[in-house]
Amino acid sequence: MAGLRRSGRAWAAASAFPRLTRAARRWLSGADGRRVRAAPPWRILFFGTDAFAQRTLQEVHGRRSLDDGNLLIERLEVVTLPSTNCGELPVRRYAKMNQISVHDWPCLTECHHFDVGIIVSFGALLSDVVIQQFPYGILNLHPSLLPRWRGPAPIFHTLIHGDQVTGVTIMQIRPKRFDIGPILMQQECPVPPRCTSDELGAILAEKGAEMLLSVLRNLPEYVENQWEQSKEGVTFAPKITVADSWVNWEEQTVEELDRLNRAIGSRLPLRTLWMGRTVKLLDLVDVEEIPDLPAATQEQLIPGTAHFHKESNVLLVRCKNGWTGFKQVVLKKLLTAADFYNGYLHPYFQGNAIHQNVARFQTHTPKAKIKKMPK
């Protein structure tokens, strides 16, 4: 080992002994005089919360030994958020089931007795004071090809924007800003056709865990050879909210609605308005697979127009460039497409044969905030 370097906060290793035995190169001297491990087994503090982080933790916890039988991980503890009214977060639940010590954030004790931190889907910025306590810093597993899709929701935005290639980045975190640190490893991954965010998340979590384990096997070398992110091609992936689930029938295409539904549908169903009331749209279907679709009348070409296709039991809705379809909706209660037709569409057609434009979903327009006049 010729040396050990960490950008910005270098740990200077002696370069006079490139061919040391495993035992002899177990420890190096840090810049502040602390002893720094130069090889496994590592002492790791894992920061995470959700199912994506739990998959990574599970892989790391289950692969604590190297192929030659030597330990890769000597100590593993977890930092996560406290339980909420919705129950325990996946990382906390897994840690408790497997007798892994858990620390509540932000009540965190000193971290100087760990070699490296790992942070996955944590959602909180760590201070420089915390980062500095780890000789090898804190590694972040991020499911995108940074600098594309910096932020808390990279998988969702990958699907929403129709990316055909994504990937995983292992990087070192920096204080004050998310996802800007130097890269230790990065690998591409094709986005499977018409996959959901849950399916893509599982693929990237497995791939990312393998990458993380590879980095841990040769941690000093990866830290020494890290590189800064490109300043070009930066995009941001802000948190997904209910506002993202509202359908704009006039502006969104069939393809865009399909991507949006696959990205967020399992967490936030698509929403629209029916006579001023919120309707959730469930079970989106590919209308190209529906045989014998009727030719649209001029009236039905208007975005938002709803039409029940009896043969397939699908509620068709007109968007910017064609029909999209749903098998179920929620309006006060869960309804099949046939239920919605019988209870809402059919009565309007019967009673308003001349004014059939009432049989349309409306695009939600957020109310403008009224600014108070200064006194």
mmCIF file with all atom_site columns, all heavy atoms in Angstrom, residues 181-193:
data_model
loop_
_atom_site.group_PDB
_atom_site.id
_atom_site.type_symbol
_atom_site.label_atom_id
_atom_site.label_alt_id
_atom_site.label_comp_id
_atom_site.label_asym_id
_atom_site.label_entity_id
_atom_site.label_seq_id
_atom_site.pdbx_PDB_ins_code
_atom_site.Cartn_x
_atom_site.Cartn_y
_atom_site.Cartn_z
_atom_site.occupancy
_atom_site.B_iso_or_equiv
_atom_site.pdbx_formal_charge
_atom_site.auth_seq_id
_atom_site.auth_comp_id
_atom_site.auth_asym_id
_atom_site.auth_atom_id
_atom_site.pdbx_PDB_model_num
ATOM 1  N N   . GLY A 1 181 ? -20.591 14.878 -3.289  1.00 0.00 ? 181 GLY A N   1
ATOM 2  C CA  . GLY A 1 181 ? -19.262 14.397 -2.938  1.00 0.00 ? 181 GLY A CA  1
ATOM 3  C C   . GLY A 1 181 ? -18.570 13.627 -4.043  1.00 0.00 ? 181 GLY A C   1
ATOM 4  O O   . GLY A 1 181 ? -19.161 13.299 -5.083  1.00 0.00 ? 181 GLY A O   1
ATOM 5  N N   . PRO A 1 182 ? -17.285 13.305 -3.840  1.00 0.00 ? 182 PRO A N   1
ATOM 6  C CA  . PRO A 1 182 ? -16.504 12.556 -4.826  1.00 0.00 ? 182 PRO A CA  1
ATOM 7  C C   . PRO A 1 182 ? -16.981 11.112 -4.944  1.00 0.00 ? 182 PRO A C   1
ATOM 8  O O   . PRO A 1 182 ? -17.503 10.525 -4.006  1.00 0.00 ? 182 PRO A O   1
ATOM 9  C CB  . PRO A 1 182 ? -15.077 12.632 -4.279  1.00 0.00 ? 182 PRO A CB  1
ATOM 10 C CG  . PRO A 1 182 ? -15.247 12.827 -2.810  1.00 0.00 ? 182 PRO A CG  1
ATOM 11 C CD  . PRO A 1 182 ? -16.473 13.654 -2.653  1.00 0.00 ? 182 PRO A CD  1
ATOM 12 N N   . ILE A 1 183 ? -16.780 10.544 -6.123  1.00 0.00 ? 183 ILE A N   1
ATOM 13 C CA  . ILE A 1 183 ? -17.271 9.206  -6.454  1.00 0.00 ? 183 ILE A CA  1
ATOM 14 C C   . ILE A 1 183 ? -16.172 8.168  -6.264  1.00 0.00 ? 183 ILE A C   1
ATOM 15 O O   . ILE A 1 183 ? -15.035 8.358  -6.697  1.00 0.00 ? 183 ILE A O   1
ATOM 16 C CB  . ILE A 1 183 ? -17.780 9.172  -7.911  1.00 0.00 ? 183 ILE A CB  1
ATOM 17 C CG1 . ILE A 1 183 ? -18.982 10.119 -8.052  1.00 0.00 ? 183 ILE A CG1 1
ATOM 18 C CG2 . ILE A 1 183 ? -18.154 7.760  -8.335  1.00 0.00 ? 183 ILE A CG2 1
ATOM 19 C CD1 . ILE A 1 183 ? -19.426 10.309 -9.490  1.00 0.00 ? 183 ILE A CD1 1
ATOM 20 N N   . LEU A 1 184 ? -16.531 7.048  -5.610  1.00 0.00 ? 184 LEU A N   1
ATOM 21 C CA  . LEU A 1 184 ? -15.612 5.919  -5.460  1.00 0.00 ? 184 LEU A CA  1
ATOM 22 C C   . LEU A 1 184 ? -15.882 4.828  -6.486  1.00 0.00 ? 184 LEU A C   1
ATOM 23 O O   . LEU A 1 184 ? -14.969 4.142  -6.935  1.00 0.00 ? 184 LEU A O   1
ATOM 24 C CB  . LEU A 1 184 ? -15.714 5.320  -4.054  1.00 0.00 ? 184 LEU A CB  1
ATOM 25 C CG  . LEU A 1 184 ? -14.971 6.047  -2.924  1.00 0.00 ? 184 LEU A CG  1
ATOM 26 C CD1 . LEU A 1 184 ? -15.640 7.382  -2.591  1.00 0.00 ? 184 LEU A CD1 1
ATOM 27 C CD2 . LEU A 1 184 ? -14.919 5.174  -1.677  1.00 0.00 ? 184 LEU A CD2 1
ATOM 28 N N   . MET A 1 185 ? -17.151 4.641  -6.832  1.00 0.00 ? 185 MET A N   1
ATOM 29 C CA  . MET A 1 185 ? -17.523 3.624  -7.829  1.00 0.00 ? 185 MET A CA  1
ATOM 30 C C   . MET A 1 185 ? -18.853 4.025  -8.448  1.00 0.00 ? 185 MET A C   1
ATOM 31 O O   . MET A 1 185 ? -19.720 4.581  -7.773  1.00 0.00 ? 185 MET A O   1
ATOM 32 C CB  . MET A 1 185 ? -17.636 2.237  -7.195  1.00 0.00 ? 185 MET A CB  1
ATOM 33 C CG  . MET A 1 185 ? -18.024 1.140  -8.197  1.00 0.00 ? 185 MET A CG  1
ATOM 34 S SD  . MET A 1 185 ? -18.304 -0.491 -7.425  1.00 0.00 ? 185 MET A SD  1
ATOM 35 C CE  . MET A 1 185 ? -16.608 -1.039 -7.207  1.00 0.00 ? 185 MET A CE  1
ATOM 36 N N   . GLN A 1 186 ? -19.014 3.730  -9.726  1.00 0.00 ? 186 GLN A N   1
ATOM 37 C CA  . GLN A 1 186 ? -20.255 4.033  -10.433 1.00 0.00 ? 186 GLN A CA  1
ATOM 38 C C   . GLN A 1 186 ? -20.458 3.006  -11.534 1.00 0.00 ? 186 GLN A C   1
ATOM 39 O O   . GLN A 1 186 ? -19.533 2.698  -12.278 1.00 0.00 ? 186 GLN A O   1
ATOM 40 C CB  . GLN A 1 186 ? -20.198 5.440  -11.025 1.00 0.00 ? 186 GLN A CB  1
ATOM 41 C CG  . GLN A 1 186 ? -21.505 5.947  -11.589 1.00 0.00 ? 186 GLN A CG  1
ATOM 42 C CD  . GLN A 1 186 ? -21.425 7.425  -11.954 1.00 0.00 ? 186 GLN A CD  1
ATOM 43 O OE1 . GLN A 1 186 ? -20.697 7.801  -12.864 1.00 0.00 ? 186 GLN A OE1 1
ATOM 44 N NE2 . GLN A 1 186 ? -22.160 8.264  -11.234 1.00 0.00 ? 186 GLN A NE2 1
ATOM 45 N N   . GLN A 1 187 ? -21.678 2.459  -11.613 1.00 0.00 ? 187 GLN A N   1
ATOM 46 C CA  . GLN A 1 187 ? -21.987 1.471  -12.646 1.00 0.00 ? 187 GLN A CA  1
ATOM 47 C C   . GLN A 1 187 ? -23.355 1.754  -13.243 1.00 0.00 ? 187 GLN A C   1
ATOM 48 O O   . GLN A 1 187 ? -24.289 2.125  -12.537 1.00 0.00 ? 187 GLN A O   1
ATOM 49 C CB  . GLN A 1 187 ? -21.953 0.050  -12.072 1.00 0.00 ? 187 GLN A CB  1
ATOM 50 C CG  . GLN A 1 187 ? -20.573 -0.443 -11.694 1.00 0.00 ? 187 GLN A CG  1
ATOM 51 C CD  . GLN A 1 187 ? -20.578 -1.889 -11.222 1.00 0.00 ? 187 GLN A CD  1
ATOM 52 O OE1 . GLN A 1 187 ? -21.593 -2.584 -11.301 1.00 0.00 ? 187 GLN A OE1 1
ATOM 53 N NE2 . GLN A 1 187 ? -19.441 -2.354 -10.726 1.00 0.00 ? 187 GLN A NE2 1
ATOM 54 N N   . GLU A 1 188 ? -23.457 1.550  -14.559 1.00 0.00 ? 188 GLU A N   1
ATOM 55 C CA  . GLU A 1 188 ? -24.722 1.734  -15.257 1.00 0.00 ? 188 GLU A CA  1
ATOM 56 C C   . GLU A 1 188 ? -25.619 0.513  -15.098 1.00 0.00 ? 188 GLU A C   1
ATOM 57 O O   . GLU A 1 188 ? -25.155 -0.589 -14.815 1.00 0.00 ? 188 GLU A O   1
ATOM 58 C CB  . GLU A 1 188 ? -24.480 1.981  -16.749 1.00 0.00 ? 188 GLU A CB  1
ATOM 59 C CG  . GLU A 1 188 ? -23.844 3.315  -17.065 1.00 0.00 ? 188 GLU A CG  1
ATOM 60 C CD  . GLU A 1 188 ? -23.790 3.555  -18.562 1.00 0.00 ? 188 GLU A CD  1
ATOM 61 O OE1 . GLU A 1 188 ? -24.139 2.623  -19.332 1.00 0.00 ? 188 GLU A OE1 1
ATOM 62 O OE2 . GLU A 1 188 ? -23.398 4.661  -18.973 1.00 0.00 ? 188 GLU A OE2 1
ATOM 63 N N   . CYS A 1 189 ? -26.922 0.749  -15.313 1.00 0.00 ? 189 CYS A N   1
ATOM 64 C CA  . CYS A 1 189 ? -27.905 -0.338 -15.267 1.00 0.00 ? 189 CYS A CA  1
ATOM 65 C C   . CYS A 1 189 ? -29.049 0.038  -16.208 1.00 0.00 ? 189 CYS A C   1
ATOM 66 O O   . CYS A 1 189 ? -29.597 1.136  -16.098 1.00 0.00 ? 189 CYS A O   1
ATOM 67 C CB  . CYS A 1 189 ? -28.433 -0.517 -13.840 1.00 0.00 ? 189 CYS A CB  1
ATOM 68 S SG  . CYS A 1 189 ? -29.720 -1.783 -13.675 1.00 0.00 ? 189 CYS A SG  1
ATOM 69 N N   . PRO A 1 190 ? -29.432 -0.837 -17.142 1.00 0.00 ? 190 PRO A N   1
ATOM 70 C CA  . PRO A 1 190 ? -30.567 -0.524 -18.025 1.00 0.00 ? 190 PRO A CA  1
ATOM 71 C C   . PRO A 1 190 ? -31.872 -0.510 -17.235 1.00 0.00 ? 190 PRO A C   1
ATOM 72 O O   . PRO A 1 190 ? -32.037 -1.275 -16.275 1.00 0.00 ? 190 PRO A O   1
ATOM 73 C CB  . PRO A 1 190 ? -30.551 -1.657 -19.046 1.00 0.00 ? 190 PRO A CB  1
ATOM 74 C CG  . PRO A 1 190 ? -29.859 -2.785 -18.348 1.00 0.00 ? 190 PRO A CG  1
ATOM 75 C CD  . PRO A 1 190 ? -28.842 -2.156 -17.441 1.00 0.00 ? 190 PRO A CD  1
ATOM 76 N N   . VAL A 1 191 ? -32.773 0.360  -17.630 1.00 0.00 ? 191 VAL A N   1
ATOM 77 C CA  . VAL A 1 191 ? -34.092 0.413  -17.007 1.00 0.00 ? 191 VAL A CA  1
ATOM 78 C C   . VAL A 1 191 ? -35.000 -0.566 -17.745 1.00 0.00 ? 191 VAL A C   1
ATOM 79 O O   . VAL A 1 191 ? -35.251 -0.403 -18.940 1.00 0.00 ? 191 VAL A O   1
ATOM 80 C CB  . VAL A 1 191 ? -34.684 1.832  -17.074 1.00 0.00 ? 191 VAL A CB  1
ATOM 81 C CG1 . VAL A 1 191 ? -36.085 1.852  -16.466 1.00 0.00 ? 191 VAL A CG1 1
ATOM 82 C CG2 . VAL A 1 191 ? -33.773 2.827  -16.365 1.00 0.00 ? 191 VAL A CG2 1
ATOM 83 N N   . PRO A 1 192 ? -35.503 -1.618 -17.077 1.00 0.00 ? 192 PRO A N   1
ATOM 84 C CA  . PRO A 1 192 ? -36.370 -2.587 -17.766 1.00 0.00 ? 192 PRO A CA  1
ATOM 85 C C   . PRO A 1 192 ? -37.623 -1.916 -18.322 1.00 0.00 ? 192 PRO A C   1
ATOM 86 O O   . PRO A 1 192 ? -38.159 -0.984 -17.706 1.00 0.00 ? 192 PRO A O   1
ATOM 87 C CB  . PRO A 1 192 ? -36.733 -3.588 -16.655 1.00 0.00 ? 192 PRO A CB  1
ATOM 88 C CG  . PRO A 1 192 ? -35.637 -3.447 -15.647 1.00 0.00 ? 192 PRO A CG  1
ATOM 89 C CD  . PRO A 1 192 ? -35.254 -1.996 -15.675 1.00 0.00 ? 192 PRO A CD  1
ATOM 90 N N   . PRO A 1 193 ? -38.104 -2.347 -19.478 1.00 0.00 ? 193 PRO A N   1
ATOM 91 C CA  . PRO A 1 193 ? -39.312 -1.748 -20.063 1.00 0.00 ? 193 PRO A CA  1
ATOM 92 C C   . PRO A 1 193 ? -40.505 -1.849 -19.119 1.00 0.00 ? 193 PRO A C   1
ATOM 93 O O   . PRO A 1 193 ? -40.750 -2.877 -18.514 1.00 0.00 ? 193 PRO A O   1
ATOM 94 C CB  . PRO A 1 193 ? -39.536 -2.587 -21.333 1.00 0.00 ? 193 PRO A CB  1
ATOM 95 C CG  . PRO A 1 193 ? -38.202 -3.183 -21.644 1.00 0.00 ? 193 PRO A CG  1
ATOM 96 C CD  . PRO A 1 193 ? -37.541 -3.416 -20.321 1.00 0.00 ? 193 PRO A CD  1
#
